[in-house]
Amino acid sequence: MADAEVTRCGFVALVGAPNAGKSTLLNALVGAKLSIVTPKVQTTRTRIRGVATEGKAQIVFVDTPGIFAPKRRLERAMVAAAWAGAADADLVVVVVDAAAMAEAGAPDDDTLRIVEGLRTAGRKAVLALNKIDKVKPPVLLGIAERLNREGVFTDTFMISALDGSGVADLKKHLAARLPEGIWLYPEDQLSDMPERLLAAEVTREQLFLQLHQELPYALTVETESWEEFGDGSAKITQVVYVERENQKAIVLGKGGARIKAVGAAARKELSAMLGRTIHLFLFVKVRERWREDPERYRLWDLDFNA
Ligand code: GDP
Ligand code: MG
């Protein structure tokens, strides 16, 4: 068979420290917003798959929660999901916040832990130095040199997931290195994330963006019902679970103003994402120990006992 006839397909895991820009990169690679992005760390809770094509190759990108030293059960499950994502992948891309590293003058502990994990597993990876829009070129070269001394990186790409520079080159490189094989997903499918979960993530993102303090980590969002109408619109009902009564009051805001603003923003975003009118109804409920409830983990495909 001529080379041009060969199709390729495989999984590429995006791993990195919290806030390195993995979710932003996934969205840039796929060309659609699939994974939620916020300035807060540990926003991504589970593996999120995004499908991109590059010539005859179909690339299934796997966005993972950040890899860090976990303390609590939910954190342990998140980190376990990140490592599992890397282990299952054909290729691994380690995303590093070059701006943070430039400021610190050294790699962060989480990135070093990832490098160590790859070395132990005998795996090589592609290095993506991200946020180059904030770093001067000579500094960037020093960073690339420092990380390449670790001996686990086959190639280095300097990118800005935010403005897109370098992203196309990275994508081409990865596509050419995937195994030959038939495509796993239909050509027009961008993600295998169920729409219900995607819709809950959009609301969770708004809560992250609109609430301050540590509160966002204490809440979770679930889609309870999804009703389709003949005119193409849909009614989505979601519950925001918090751990305590006082958190419920904060999420609701004065006279329900906060939850109203969250709902309005999420509804707008969902309507744009799904290309149709969405009616969104949000309820806030207290569920004291949701972080210790196996069912909540199953919904995100996380391992409760990690
Ligand atoms: P993740 O935790 O690794 O998934 O990181 P996110 O994708 O959620 O991004 C964390 C923060 O970094 C967000 O505020 C992003 O807007 C920002 N960010 C991501 N990529 C870039 C980049 O290339 N340049 C700049 N300046 N900011 C970025
Ligand atoms: Mg993320």
Side-chain angles (χ1 to χ4, degrees):
M1 217 195 308
D3 214 31
E5 307 288 309
V6 175
T7 62
R8 296 178 184 279
C9 186
F11 290 87
V12 176
L14 307 176
V15 301
N19 241 15
K22 302 173 293 297
S23 296
T24 308
L25 179 58
L26 175 90
N27 295 338
L29 286 161
V30 174
K33 183 162 165 191
L34 298 175
S35 199
I36 67 177
V37 174
T38 79
K40 294 195 171 69
V41 297
Q42 299 171 33
T43 309
T44 307
R45 279 198 184 138
T46 187
R47 280 160 285 177
I48 303 216
R49 288 199 193 118
V51 186
T53 52
E54 177 69 42
K56 297 260 173 207
Q58 182 172 67
I59 321 171
V60 185
F61 289 103
V62 187
D63 183 17
T64 63
I67 291 177
F68 54 95
K71 288 184 199 75
R72 305 206 271 188
R73 186 190 286 276
L74 178 59
E75 296 176 353
R76 276 202 303 280
M78 286 160 57
V79 173
W83 277 119
D88 293 344
D90 296 294
L91 300 169
V92 174
V93 176
V94 177
V95 183
V96 173
D97 182 340
M101 188 168 157
E103 207 174 290
D108 61 279
D109 290 347
D110 293 324
T111 297
L112 290 174
R113 191 173 293 116
I114 291 162
V115 164
E116 211 39 61
L118 290 169
R119 209 195 325 270
T120 308
R123 289 213 61 165
K124 298 275 184 201
V126 170
L127 174 63
L129 288 179
N130 190 32
K131 310 197 187 181
I132 61 165
D133 51 290
K134 295 206 293 193
V135 188
K136 295 204 175 76
V139 178
L140 209 51
L141 287 178
I143 289 174
E145 200 184 10
R146 166 67 190 84
L147 289 171
N148 274 289
R149 254 185 266 147
E150 298 290 339
V152 299
F153 298 116
T154 54
D155 305 86
T156 302
F157 287 81
M158 304 194 178
I159 64 165
S160 168
L162 198 64
D163 70 21
S165 45
V167 173
D169 282 343
L170 171 63
K171 193 165 153 187
K172 274 209 189 75
H173 174 90
L174 297 167
R177 277 152 191 84
L178 288 177
E180 290 177 16
I182 53 160
W183 290 10
L184 285 170
Y185 296 95
E187 204 171 339
D188 56 358
Q189 187 172 336
L190 296 181
S191 174
D192 67 349
M193 185 162 43
E195 278 193 335
R196 283 171 161 255
L197 196 59
L198 187 74
E201 285 290 277
V202 169
T203 302
R204 196 162 65 85
E205 177 178 49
Q206 282 306 321
L207 288 160
F208 257 93
L209 294 173
Q210 299 195 30
L211 292 170
H212 304 291
Q213 318 143 4
E214 287 302 289
L215 189 55
Y217 302 105
L219 60 80
T220 191
V221 181
E222 289 177 15
T223 301
E224 274 217 333
S225 69
W226 187 305
E227 203 180 333
E228 297 283 348
F229 296 110
D231 63 359
S233 67
K235 175 185 165 183
I236 303 173
T237 308
Q238 295 177 335
V239 180
V240 180
Y241 289 106
V242 293
E243 293 176 317
R244 287 189 295 277
E245 280 297 336
N246 69 324
Q247 295 170 343
K248 180 175 170 177
I250 296 170
V251 173
L252 288 173
K254 262 207 186 83
R258 174 65 53 60
I259 195 72
K260 215 179 205 168
V262 166
R267 190 198 66 75
K268 202 168 146 208
E269 171 122 17
L270 270 170
S271 298
M273 269 172 123
L274 300 171
R276 56 215 184 99
T277 304
I278 298 296
H279 308 282
L280 179 64
F281 294 86
L282 299 181
F283 298 91
V284 186
K285 288 187 189 166
V286 179
R287 185 180 276 161
E288 257 173 42
R289 296 175 58 79
W290 71 260
R291 274 195 264 202
E292 298 300 322
D293 177 2
E295 178 66 11
R296 312 272 77 76
Y297 289 66
R298 198 186 55 73
L299 284 170
W300 295 317
D301 203 19
L302 286 174
D303 181 4
F304 181 70
N305 294 309

